[in-house]
Amino acid sequence: MEPGTKLGHYEILAALGAGGRSSVRLGRCYSLAALLLAILITASCTGLDPGPSPLNAELPLHLEDHLDAATIVGSDIPPDVPATVEWRFDEPPPEWKVAVSPDPSWHPLEATHTEDTLRLSLTEATRRVFPWGRSVYGGVYIDLPDWQREDWAYVLVQARTSAKNPSVAVQFNLREEAGPTLFEQFPFRFFGEFADMVNDGTVQTYRLRADWSGGTWQGPWRQLGLTFAASEPAGIDLLSVRVIPKEANYAAASAGVQTETRNRAYRRALYIHAPGRVDYRVQVPEAGRLDVGLGVLRDDAPVTFRITAAPAGGQAESLLEETYADKERWDDRSVDLSHLAGRTVTLQLEAEAERAGTVALWAAPTVSGSRTTDRPNIVFYVIDGAAADLMSVYGYNRRTTPYLERLAAEGAVFEHAYSNSSWTKPSTASFMTSLQHSVLGGYKTQSDPLPDQAMTMAQHLHRAHYQTAVFVANPNAGTLSNLQRGVDLLREDWVEFSYLGGENHAESSRFLHEAFCKWREAYPAEPYWVHFQTTDVHQPWRPVAPFAGLYVGLDVGQRVNEWRQQLDAASGGGQWWTRFDNTDISRIEFYDGARGLYDEGMAHNDYQIGRLVERLKAAGEWERTLFIVVADHSHGAAGLPQLDPPAPPWSGPNFSSWITRIPMIVVWPERIAPGQRFSEPVSMIDMLPTILDLAGLPMPEVMQGQSLAPLLRGEEGFQPRPVIFDEFNVDWDTGELRGSIELIDGRWGASLEINPSPEDEEQPAEARRAAPLLLYDLWNDPYCLNSLHAEHPDLVEKYTALLEAQWGAHQALAQQFTQGGEIPLTPEQLRALRALGYIQ
């Protein structure tokens, strides 16, 4: 026997031999029972392992998190997995060619190799009239060695452009001769996915599917094509193209866990290679069940999924057997384990397929039973862009939130709550981690991910055996920030639920609530944590019946959105004030109309929250649910109130009420006293520690917020402190962070500019900051229209020193977090970003 070998009970008995005969010398006083007892005592003292303990499922048990406790049988990695293929354009790429239509009237684009890119020039000569409008258009391609398209998952295109309304598409196989229809004149026979492009001149990576095409596919894959379009002549720089095989992401291990997406649903999935099996020893709880989603990579390689339960010493029982082959969707299944309650069984998740090495996906396999914990369900409800100033629960003169008024009476309201940044991406990253934006690395591109070292709210709750789900209508609150980590299910698009009545983001709350209900039907265990982030009040404003027309005429809504498009196209840089000056649009009429549309969207979202709470009550879940309503920022896009004299051109600090003052309402029946209102300034960065504290869970090792639970429970321990605001962009040339760090300290608000941009000096004097530190009297100037830095030099000195020290602390803390590379943008993400006005 090798040193260090561990023996289980059966191995020890085998060593004793039949009838207790063994080469081990034993005293005569030992009976067989005493001998076994002595061996068990010896094993516990000497480290001999009696076998792994079964996994406990009294709280929801995420099987994918326990691969280290599983036994893997088979699941061999196939030896013939294709490698990723990449073409880079920092050297001349002679194999890439310009695509030419078989119709000679189509003019091809021009391709020129620069120092590090393939420059594609779309000129006026390339303009064509398409059913969707007039566009400049052209493409390039490369010959392939007769690939099979089903072997490949994605084409990753790295490019940059400043074109107007640009797009990119993947195309397949050259067309040999033109036909009579328009589509038979395109250079390629088959159309693939297309995506809008970010046109701010930054380098972005676009992820387009390689296994989907319009039309009936025939034959091998002979050419890979890329086509580009824009509304005006422009250049597009192509930096690289990569083609990713389907099995490449699974070739590192025989079994593993990663986030997978099907039909816009991102799910944590356990993968194995068929034929293969993963065995778990599990103690089945009362009312036990196993909930799981089935998924595959290919339509041409069906997988037979089997689930078997084998009690110790008992007969193995088949619980599920199904052959599945839909690569586009997850199929949820629930397996009844209640007849095995109290027993320890080996749950076997098995996959077979004719094609050896075929990947099988088990999405969020979860064993659960009857509720056994006092921990609350948590509904973390974020209304994207909700302004406390425009909610009747906070005293607004329009009745925009009647339901939240009733809800607030059941719990606690924070009168002076703030987001820590002015828009969704930096704000959401901060409140999900309780870390300021600069600590997380600042903003560089639309697809910056959170650093891996920063634990999110979902990860904390998932680790505590919560079922976790995210339903958001803004990709900046989801995968574009890598916030799918620790999430059993994430949906970040309202379009999937268009069969319910439409695709308008202004009714996202209805669609996201329906998605939540479907998830609860498939995964009914408790406790659960769910993050909603709706866009009902997000620009552009398109309120829906019966709320459309509630505050402004329907014609006003149409006119405001037309004006908004004109302002987007108008010259004047980033300052909307100068854009008004360059059009004949009335600033007063525009913002009066915008405010009415915003209020109608708020009324709709309020109504839908009421319906959601009624569903929770009907399901018997309300009494054990912690329900929190907040926002990621305020209503800046809907403008300041009409003031006389008008507001100055500079938009003001982030702590201005119209930019970051948000709702914060917390309800937990019988745990948080009703009717409470708190005047202490607090912020969204306090949400993570507050939720963990209320749920009785450990605090993060690193956090910058503080728990509000002592206030909510009427206990001592809360220490009022200044609210910090932090928002920074990364300078592409120097890597420096540029932006402002700010605070609210009682009556005073102070904003300190860090690393001013040289471009600021080119702005008109009236649009520049008046001083490095601006000071505001929030009691008398809540919209921060007039800085008092000249009148209070002592306060300027005080807050400059305080904010410089705070900035130094943020820089030091940032050393613990390393931002990863950009996340490839998908067509769905880009479409949502365009619909919400983030890209033009």
Side-chain angles (χ1 to χ4, degrees), residues 118-134:
L118 186 64
R119 169 64 60 85
L120 307 176
S121 298
L122 297 171
T123 66
E124 189 62 39
T126 67
R127 188 178 295 280
R128 304 295 302 178
V129 178
F130 300 114
W132 52 87
R134 301 175 70 249

Side-chain angles (χ1 to χ4, degrees), residues 284-307:
V284 179
E286 291 296 322
R289 57 186 289 153
L290 169 62
D291 299 308
V292 65
L294 309 181
V296 295
L297 296 187
R298 314 170 61 113
D299 288 339
D300 63 344
V303 174
T304 298
F305 293 85
R306 294 192 185 92
I307 299 176

Side-chain angles (χ1 to χ4, degrees), residues 7 374 400 403 426 446 560:
L7 297 178
D374 290 332
T400 54
Y403 190 86
Q446 195 77 57
V560 165

Side-chain angles (χ1 to χ4, degrees), residues 21-174:
R21 294 186 300 272
S22 172
S23 58
V24 180
R25 289 187 175 272
L26 304 170
R28 294 178 181 177
C29 61
Y30 280 86
S31 67
L32 180 58
L35 170 63
L36 291 174
L37 178 61
I39 290 172
L40 291 176
I41 294 173
T42 301
S44 66
C45 295
T46 60
L48 293 178
D49 188 356
S53 299
L55 298 171
N56 188 303
E58 287 189 2
L59 293 171
L61 174 65
H62 305 284
L63 292 179
E64 76 276 11
D65 289 341
H66 297 278
L67 263 180
D68 57 340
T71 300
I72 301 170
V73 180
S75 192
D76 296 327
I77 303 170
D80 56 348
V81 175
T84 296
V85 177
E86 180 175 19
W87 297 273
R88 298 187 58 85
F89 299 100
D90 48 6
E91 295 182 358
E95 63 267 34
W96 281 83
K97 308 166 189 174
V98 172
V100 179
S101 167
D103 183 338
S105 68
W106 287 48
H107 196 285
L109 59 71
E110 299 174 4
T112 308
H113 184 256
T114 67
E115 183 178 353
D116 63 345
T117 71
L118 186 64
R119 169 64 60 85
L120 307 176
S121 298
L122 297 171
T123 66
E124 189 62 39
T126 67
R127 188 178 295 280
R128 304 295 302 178
V129 178
F130 300 114
W132 52 87
R134 301 175 70 249
S135 299
V136 289
Y137 170 90
V140 291
Y141 74 94
I142 187 170
D143 292 311
L144 302 176
D146 287 357
W147 287 356
Q148 295 300 316
R149 206 167 42 92
E150 279 293 335
D151 291 338
W152 304 88
Y154 299 106
V155 179
L156 300 183
V157 180
Q158 190 180 41
R160 65 175 174 240
T161 186
S162 298
K164 188 175 181 180
N165 300 317
S167 64
V168 57
V170 62
Q171 312 274 273
F172 308 100
N173 291 6
L174 287 174

Side-chain angles (χ1 to χ4, degrees), residues 689-703:
T690 299
I691 287 172
L692 295 178
D693 194 352
L694 290 172
L697 298 173
M699 288 289 141
E701 293 182 8
V702 180
M703 64 180 185

